[in-house]
Amino acid sequence: MSQPFQLQQHPQRVALHNEVHARPPEALSAPLVISHLVMACDASERERSRQHLASLLRDHHQAPPDAHSTHLRTELGPFRLRWELHTEFVSWTFSRAVDAEALGQAQLPTAAAVVPQEWLAALPGRCFTAMHLSVLPTTGPDPEAWVKRLFQEESLVASQVADGYAEVYTDFAIHADGFSHMLLLAGSLSPRRLGRLVQRLLEIETYRMAALLGLPVAREAGALLSTVDQELAALAEAIRAAARDDEPQLLDRLTRLAGQVESQYALTHSRFSASAAYFELVDKRIADISETRLAGLQTIGEFMERRLTPARSTCEWAARRQDALSQRVSRISNLLRTRVEIEQQQSSQDLLTTMNQRQDLQLKLQSTVEGLSVAAISYYIVGLVGYVAKGATKVGWPLSAETTTAVAIPVVLLSVWWSLRRMHHRIVGGARH
């Protein structure tokens, strides 16, 4: 039998292949109660969460998670734990089955009640989601009694989900125990489908709160953006009416303003982008639970549409306004830069004109100097010719010294002038080349 061929594997192949199987829903059966906690964490708190999980597992004689694990499911005696490590938060989901006797009590039990309380109180991070989800069969105690006991009637939200096979009730309120509450009547759903539905409901609450983390940032940014907008308008007017001497000060103001806008953009852009992604996930999860209306009550989708739209619009408005302000600052910077460049070009043109005028003056002076130079050089040469003529008459030169000097004057003048002109043209021609 031939050996199978071996290909060089991409180092991330296994991790990427298994990504489609990450965080799968669990098969669940009613009745059970779930306590879901989500902690906002930075990098150090994420690592502390892993260590905190390891301490709980050691107390129950289980192996700690490895350094690369991002999710874990395990049975820990009276409860089951589901731990998930996300980019900016860590979710802890505790669940346990309940019996008919517990359902007959005045208050529904919770999964968090059986978790070690000191360990639970020390969860790293800052809690922004805490919810008790009770999953009950429709054949149990009167569900309407539990609905009235758990939720505020004026803010009750309810719908049929999973194509009418189950019903969900909540009021999206934080109760006296610090948790929000949700009741799911499971109906005849199979364990796998029930597990998927429970996961979607938990994700709706998680992503709803994660998306709203951008709202206070948007409000703070809005106040700053209003101030920047006014200052930018005043700066644009100042640039329009400014003199040349005011430009350095205006450029300094504009640079500071641009730095402020870009700094604010850098601080908030990732938060607004994350909120937009979380809002989309909320929409997707609501679509996944397949809601239909219960008479007289608004659905989860309608509640989210009505209550989340203003927050979503505020975040989107802040992000768009930041982009618009950044573009306006860029346009005004280009305007001021163009104005400075035009003035620099005008200054350069004036300087060139002045240099041309000085060059013309230098040429005129040079011509004058050349004329004086011809006269001076000719004077000395004619003087030398006179001395030569005086000596020559004594050895038989037929002309007198005065006559010889007079005849030499025009010849010397012409020769000197021609020589200087030739030298001038040679130098100027060499400089041009």
Side-chain angles (χ1 to χ4, degrees):
M1 181 177 180
S2 62
Q3 295 292 329
F5 62 90
Q6 297 292 327
L7 297 177
Q8 185 175 359
Q9 300 295 313
H10 190 282
Q12 298 295 325
R13 181 194 173 193
V14 175
L16 296 176
H17 180 272
N18 293 334
E19 184 64 25
V20 296
H21 304 293
R23 303 181 178 92
E26 302 179 65
L28 301 175
S29 299
L32 77 156
V33 290
I34 299 170
S35 296
H36 181 64
L37 296 167
V38 183
M39 311 296 291
C41 296
D42 56 24
S44 62
E45 289 167 338
R46 282 160 50 89
E47 184 57 32
R48 284 170 50 203
S49 296
R50 191 188 304 275
Q51 297 171 2
H52 199 63
L53 172 64
S55 68
L56 179 66
L57 295 178
R58 282 194 299 269
D59 291 342
H60 289 78
H61 309 289
Q62 293 192 19
D66 60 50
H68 304 288
S69 295
T70 58
H71 63 280
L72 180 141
R73 295 182 298 180
T74 183
E75 294 282 351
L76 297 174
F79 64 93
R80 183 170 178 80
L81 169 65
R82 182 184 180 103
W83 171 80
E84 295 182 1
L85 187 68
H86 296 263
T87 303
E88 56 181 345
F89 59 83
V90 179
S91 66
W92 306 81
T93 305
F94 308 95
S95 60
R96 68 183 179 105
V98 293
D99 52 25
E101 182 181 352
L103 296 180
Q105 297 177 0
Q107 188 174 3
L108 278 175
T110 65
V114 297
V115 179
Q117 297 300 294
E118 292 184 3
W119 178 91
L120 190 62
L123 288 179
R126 297 154 302 282
C127 179
F128 68 86
T129 296
M131 184 175 74
H132 292 312
L133 172 61
S134 302
V135 183
L136 305 181
T138 54
T139 56
D142 184 9
E144 292 187 3
W146 283 117
V147 171
K148 293 179 179 179
R149 193 177 303 172
L150 289 174
F151 306 114
Q152 303 173 13
E153 184 177 358
E154 62 274 9
S155 57
L156 182 62
V157 176
S159 63
Q160 290 183 331
V161 292
D163 299 320
Y165 286 95
E167 295 180 3
V168 60
Y169 298 84
T170 184
D171 57 3
F172 290 105
I174 298 178
H175 294 246
D177 58 357
F179 284 74
S180 60
H181 290 251
M182 184 176 288
L183 175 63
L184 174 62
L185 302 180
S188 58
L189 290 177
S190 65
R192 287 288 180 186
R193 193 172 184 185
L194 178 59
R196 290 194 297 270
L197 177 59
V198 166
Q199 182 169 324
R200 297 296 181 264
L201 293 174
L202 296 178
E203 288 175 344
I204 287 173
E205 182 66 6
T206 300
Y207 294 141
R208 174 181 77 93
M209 294 300 296
L212 288 173
L213 289 176
L215 181 59
V217 177
R219 288 171 176 168
E220 293 177 5
L224 177 61
L225 292 175
S226 297
T227 302
V228 172
D229 198 3
Q230 296 174 2
E231 186 174 352
L232 187 60
L235 186 57
E237 178 63 23
I239 291 175
R240 185 188 67 82
R244 180 179 298 183
D245 295 338
D246 298 329
E247 289 174 356
Q249 181 181 1
L250 292 175
L251 185 59
D252 181 67
R253 287 177 57 190
L254 184 58
T255 302
R256 293 176 182 273
L257 191 62
Q260 189 176 10
V261 171
E262 293 304 320
S263 175
Q264 180 70 14
Y265 181 87
L267 290 173
T268 59
H269 177 69
S270 60
R271 182 70 268 159
F272 292 153
S273 298
S275 289
Y278 289 134
F279 279 124
E280 291 180 5
L281 286 173
V282 171
D283 294 339
K284 181 66 170 62
R285 296 299 182 266
I286 291 175
D288 289 342
I289 64 175
S290 303
E291 282 189 294
T292 54
R293 181 184 295 279
L294 285 174
L297 297 173
Q298 59 180 335
T299 64
I300 294 176
E302 291 172 340
F303 177 86
M304 294 294 184
E305 176 68 21
R306 193 170 301 169
R307 301 298 177 88
L308 280 189
T309 296
R312 179 186 297 197
S313 299
T314 300
C315 294
E316 292 175 349
W317 167 84
R320 288 196 304 268
R321 193 173 182 188
Q322 280 187 335
D323 291 337
L325 272 177
S326 180
Q327 294 174 9
R328 286 178 59 193
V329 169
S330 178
R331 288 197 300 268
I332 293 179
S333 297
N334 291 334
L335 176 64
L336 184 57
R337 190 180 302 112
T338 301
R339 174 173 172 168
V340 171
E341 289 176 354
I342 291 175
E343 291 181 352
Q344 288 178 343
Q345 292 175 1
Q346 184 65 40
S347 299
S348 299
Q349 186 66 34
D350 294 341
L351 180 60
L352 290 174
T353 301
T354 303
M355 292 176 63
N356 288 335
Q357 292 174 352
R358 290 179 179 177
Q359 187 175 11
D360 291 340
L361 181 59
Q362 288 176 353
L363 289 174
K364 292 178 180 179
L365 291 173
Q366 183 178 356
S367 299
T368 303
V369 171
E370 286 180 357
L372 295 175
S373 299
V374 169
I377 295 172
S378 299
Y379 174 79
Y380 286 109
I381 294 176
V382 169
L384 292 174
V385 170
Y387 284 116
V388 172
K390 288 178 182 180
T393 55
K394 294 180 179 182
V395 295
W397 178 256
L399 300 177
S400 65
E402 290 79 5
T403 302
T404 302
T405 301
V407 172
I409 288 174
V411 176
V412 170
L413 285 173
L414 182 60
S415 299
V416 171
W417 176 83
W418 182 79
S419 299
L420 290 177
R421 293 294 297 173
R422 185 177 180 184
M423 183 184 299
H424 173 78
H425 286 298
R426 185 180 300 171
I427 293 174
V428 172
R432 288 177 179 173
H433 294 295

